[in-house]
Amino acid sequence: MTNYIIIAVLLLVLELCYFKIADRYNIIDKPNLRSSHSSITIRGGGIIFLLGAWLYAAFYGVHNLSFLLGVSMIGIISLVDDICSVKNSVRLLIQFAAMGLMFYSWGILNVDDWWMLLLALVFCTGIINAYNFMDGINGITGGYSIAMLVPLLLANRQIGYTDENFIVVALISVVVFCLFNFRTKARCFAGDVGSVTIAFIILYFLGALIIKTGDLWYLAFIVVYGVDSVLTICHRIMLKENITQPHRKHAYQLMANELKLPHVTVSTIYMIVQLIISLGAIYLKVDKWWYFAGVCVVLGVSYILFKMKYYHLHEEYLRSKQEAAK
């Protein structure tokens, strides 16, 4: 417990120090057409997640050097991207290298199973980037990360798939970040360094859990983001849009922008829904695969009905922007 308190204090101090550095070197997020905020805010406050991983190693030892190298690589390139744009090819190359290190830490880096590694690489890249794309309103990355780390911690106490201290330290770093982001007027945004790094860390825990148990239904721990991301991509493909371009079509964006719900309220909804689903997956005495399938269906239908009812508001917003630009 003493170590946890010391780490929390250190993370708080380091975050405040980063704010001063960001202020001095103009590391800020300016609103644009995709943004759900209207004021200039410090970018990259999510560096605290990478610092948390380093503090874990400092206090508890380097138990997994390959993962620590991987998270450092992906975190540093994301921080550089927050400060000055990095070419997509360079960023993806480093992400792939970092995931290769994570696969090695999982013990699955076997060239004989190259096709499985390729599928895993595509899947993990998709999850990390989906987590990054979902970072758009105050509190959503921090709140959703808490909703994932708590069930991962509870599952670890049942199964023991990783060092519990690492999950706790990651959770502490998220809570400290939420002090500055999970509020009406955010002091900072996570930035790519935050959303990508915490996604990488959570993916490491989730992958270790699935490999330990052989149960893919643990993907229920990330199903809310998964359904929103996948169906939003499908929607944009139907609209013949370039899915790599910024947009404001996620369900949470419609809630925050067109329906004018407070950011904190929307983030809380996502956090609570995911937490309930994950706790149900752990504790309900039901067939886990049927539970996972049922959750996907309910979330999918809810998403479609929500979009059918409110998407016209986003179209009206786009038309107003086009008219204003004339």
Side-chain angles (χ1 to χ4, degrees):
M1 180 60 72
T2 301
N3 281 350
Y4 294 157
I5 294 172
I6 294 172
I7 289 171
V9 172
L10 287 173
L11 286 172
L12 182 61
V13 171
L14 289 170
E15 184 79 322
L16 292 172
C17 290
Y18 174 77
F19 290 166
K20 294 204 176 281
I21 295 171
D23 276 333
R24 180 172 181 179
Y25 293 101
N26 206 34
I27 308 173
I28 56 175
D29 195 298
K30 295 180 179 179
N32 54 43
L33 289 177
R34 177 188 175 233
S35 301
S36 297
H37 61 281
S38 57
S39 59
I40 295 175
T41 309
I42 290 173
R43 177 191 296 174
I47 192 174
I48 193 171
F49 307 141
L50 179 58
L51 297 175
W54 289 346
L55 284 177
Y56 161 74
F59 276 79
Y60 296 100
V62 181
H63 301 294
N64 196 327
L65 180 59
S66 57
F67 172 77
L68 187 62
L69 289 173
V71 74
S72 298
M73 289 170 56
I74 207 167
I76 291 170
I77 192 63
S78 298
L79 178 61
V80 173
D81 199 32
D82 281 329
I83 298 171
C84 57
S85 184
V86 175
K87 288 183 179 179
N88 289 336
S89 57
V90 174
R91 188 174 65 250
L92 278 175
L93 181 64
I94 292 178
Q95 285 186 2
F96 289 164
M99 281 183 278
L101 288 168
M102 183 164 64
F103 294 166
Y104 180 79
S105 72
W106 284 341
I108 65 169
L109 197 61
N110 187 344
V111 292
D112 293 333
D113 298 323
W114 63 267
W115 62 273
M116 291 183 62
L117 290 175
L118 182 61
L119 287 175
L121 186 65
V122 171
F123 180 74
C124 291
T125 302
I127 289 181
I128 289 172
N129 285 285
Y131 214 94
N132 187 23
F133 294 154
M134 291 293 289
D135 177 38
I137 61 173
N138 299 355
I140 196 163
T141 292
Y144 196 79
S145 297
I146 290 173
M148 289 199 63
L149 288 168
V150 169
L152 285 167
L153 178 61
L154 295 173
N156 190 64
R157 289 180 175 177
Q158 291 182 349
I159 299 165
Y161 61 89
T162 193
D163 180 11
E164 179 175 310
N165 292 313
F166 192 9
I167 304 178
V168 174
V169 171
L171 192 52
I172 291 171
S173 69
V174 172
V175 171
V176 173
F177 171 73
C178 284
L179 295 176
F180 302 100
N181 178 261
F182 204 138
R183 56 192 194 181
T184 302
K185 184 172 177 57
R187 178 81 183 277
C188 69
F189 294 144
D192 285 355
V193 64
S195 55
V196 170
T197 301
I198 194 62
F200 191 82
I201 292 171
I202 288 173
L203 185 60
Y204 167 72
F205 293 143
L206 185 60
L209 173 59
I210 290 172
I211 291 169
K212 174 82 172 183
T213 62
D215 293 325
L216 281 172
W217 57 260
Y218 278 111
L219 291 174
F221 284 8
I222 199 170
V223 71
V224 175
Y225 263 19
V227 169
D228 193 327
S229 298
V230 170
L231 292 185
T232 298
I233 290 172
C234 292
H235 186 199
R236 297 192 70 202
I237 291 174
M238 290 171 60
L239 295 172
K240 299 180 179 180
E241 293 183 354
N242 183 344
I243 61 173
T244 64
Q245 295 300 311
H247 65 94
R248 292 195 350 176
K249 291 182 172 63
H250 285 292
Y252 80 85
Q253 291 171 318
L254 285 177
M255 293 180 189
N257 299 319
E258 280 71 31
L259 297 182
K260 307 299 182 185
L261 293 178
H263 287 198
V264 172
T265 299
V266 177
S267 298
T268 302
I269 291 171
Y270 270 68
M271 177 177 68
I272 291 176
V273 171
Q274 182 59 73
L275 191 57
I276 290 172
I277 290 170
S278 298
L279 293 178
I282 295 174
Y283 294 113
L284 288 179
K285 304 300 182 181
V286 295
D287 183 281
K288 305 301 184 181
W289 275 110
W290 279 109
Y291 177 82
F292 178 58
V295 166
C296 289
V297 170
V298 171
L299 289 176
V301 171
S302 300
Y303 175 96
I304 293 169
L305 293 176
F306 177 78
K307 279 292 189 77
M308 289 175 64
K309 185 172 183 178
Y310 294 113
Y311 183 69
H312 70 92
L313 297 175
H314 181 65
E315 293 177 324
E316 292 171 7
Y317 160 78
L318 293 177
R319 282 195 296 268
S320 68
K321 288 296 183 181
Q322 291 172 353
E323 293 171 359
K326 292 179 180 179

